[in-house]
Structure formats: C-alpha cells, structure tokens
Amino acid sequence: MADIKKVRRAIKGNKKAFQELMEDEKVKLYKIAYVYMKNEADALEVFQETVYKALVSIGSLKEERYFSTWLTRILINNAVDLLRKKKRVIPMDRDKLESKTAAYIEGDRHPELLEAVMELEEKYKEVLILRFYKDMSVKEIAEIFDCPEGTVKSKIHRGVNLLRGKLKEDCVNE
C-alpha cells in the first residue's frame, strides 16, 4: 500500500513524492498492462498514459488510502480504451503466449489458465486478473469498478465457472 504521507505530498503538488509513488507501483501496473495488451509496446504505451493522467489529475484523488486502487482503475480504463481504438484481436498460439507472459507474471506455472482467462468476456477477465493476478480483495475490486461487492463476487464466480468449463473442454479435446 502506498505511503499515505507520500500520497498527501503528491496531491499537494510534490513531484518527487509522486515519482516515488510511481516507483513503488510501476511493476504491478506494467504487469496488468501487459496482461491486457499482450505485447510490450502497447503495455508501455498504456503505462505511460496512466502515469501522465495520474500526474495531471492527482489533485482529484479524494481518499489517500485508495491511491493504488485509483491508479489501477486509470490503467484499466487506458488499456480498454486503447484496445477499443485499435479494434483488434491478437491470435496467439500457446507457445508464444507462454514465452511472452512467463517473464511478466511471476509464479505462473499454468499458462493454459492465463490463455483461458484472456479468452473470457471483458467483464470476467477484469475481475479475475485483479483478484488472482494482482491479489486484490473483493472490496478493492468493487471500489475500482464502483459497484457492489456482490456484483464482483458474482463475476468472479461466473468467470471461474466459465474457466472450469473451458479447461475441461480443452482436456477432453486433447
């Protein structure tokens, strides 16, 4: 969690405090951006846009303790916007996906699981990534999406069930 004092200083316009906060968050943000964008160039573009928007609008942050959540929401919005703008789907075979994501998602021993997550609808993919790859609580995810915790729990439950079905289907087909 970001240091509350640093966040307060950054809100007041202290650029060094903002830089230190970004230094603390950059790895987590890049990983999320990479999972969304599936390539380094777009992930960096989303990350840079997030840093810029956060710098410009840090004064509008109301609760210092939600800095990380606020920043993650900006990143997700930027990633979704860029994906919509490009209107593209990147077909990736399993080997390429494994080699590209292994370096960015630590401890991921199940690349077929990540591949299955990436094939889900956006509403399920978003909550599953935040819950299981960023290890956020249901409450934090609900705050990011500005929705009830029950809605987040439902999306997680449905997403997990869709993954189960998808992975069972893959096992039967192989």
Side-chain angles (χ1 to χ4, degrees):
M1 177 181 229
D3 183 9
I4 299 294
K5 290 178 184 178
K6 279 186 201 173
V7 175
R8 286 185 183 138
R9 289 194 326 253
I11 289 172
K12 291 178 183 175
N14 185 324
K15 303 290 187 223
K16 186 172 193 264
F18 180 81
Q19 185 178 2
E20 289 172 8
L21 288 167
M22 292 310 301
E23 194 65 34
D24 295 342
E25 296 284 329
K26 71 180 181 182
V27 173
K28 290 184 282 188
L29 292 173
Y30 179 76
K31 286 179 182 181
I32 293 172
Y34 190 87
V35 167
Y36 269 88
M37 304 313 296
K38 300 181 188 114
N39 71 62
E40 188 175 351
D42 288 344
L44 286 171
E45 183 178 339
V46 166
F47 176 77
Q48 287 176 325
E49 186 67 18
T50 300
V51 172
Y52 171 74
K53 285 183 179 178
L55 178 63
V56 169
S57 61
I58 185 118
S60 69
L61 178 62
K62 292 173 180 52
E63 289 282 335
E64 296 93 359
R65 62 190 169 134
Y66 295 128
F67 175 76
S68 183
T69 303
W70 174 76
L71 203 54
T72 302
R73 183 72 238 166
I74 293 172
L75 181 110
I76 290 170
N77 287 340
N78 287 334
V80 170
D81 287 347
L82 184 58
L83 286 170
R84 279 190 198 127
K85 185 172 135 183
K86 291 189 174 206
K87 290 186 182 175
R88 64 186 174 126
V89 175
I90 303 172
M92 294 183 93
D93 63 16
R94 178 182 238 154
D95 294 334
K96 187 173 182 181
L97 184 64
E98 285 177 15
S99 68
K100 292 285 187 182
T101 58
Y104 300 104
I105 298 178
E106 56 202 63
D108 184 25
R109 294 180 186 93
H110 307 286
E112 65 278 354
L113 179 60
L114 179 61
E115 185 177 353
V117 169
M118 297 313 292
E119 292 172 0
L120 292 175
E121 287 180 57
E122 199 67 30
K123 63 184 177 181
Y124 301 122
K125 179 170 53 172
E126 288 175 337
V127 295
L128 292 176
I129 288 170
L130 293 176
R131 180 69 184 108
F132 298 111
Y133 284 98
K134 191 154 190 243
D135 200 27
M136 295 180 99
S137 70
V138 170
K139 184 177 181 178
E140 290 172 319
I141 297 169
E143 289 166 359
I144 287 174
F145 291 110
D146 193 26
C147 68
E149 289 181 38
T151 303
V152 173
K153 288 178 184 177
S154 295
K155 287 181 182 179
I156 290 171
H157 182 72
R158 288 183 188 135
V160 168
N161 284 339
L162 287 169
L163 283 175
R164 278 190 188 122
K166 203 178 247 317
L167 293 173
K168 281 182 185 176
E169 188 178 291
D170 286 349
C171 288
V172 171
N173 291 336
E174 287 181 354

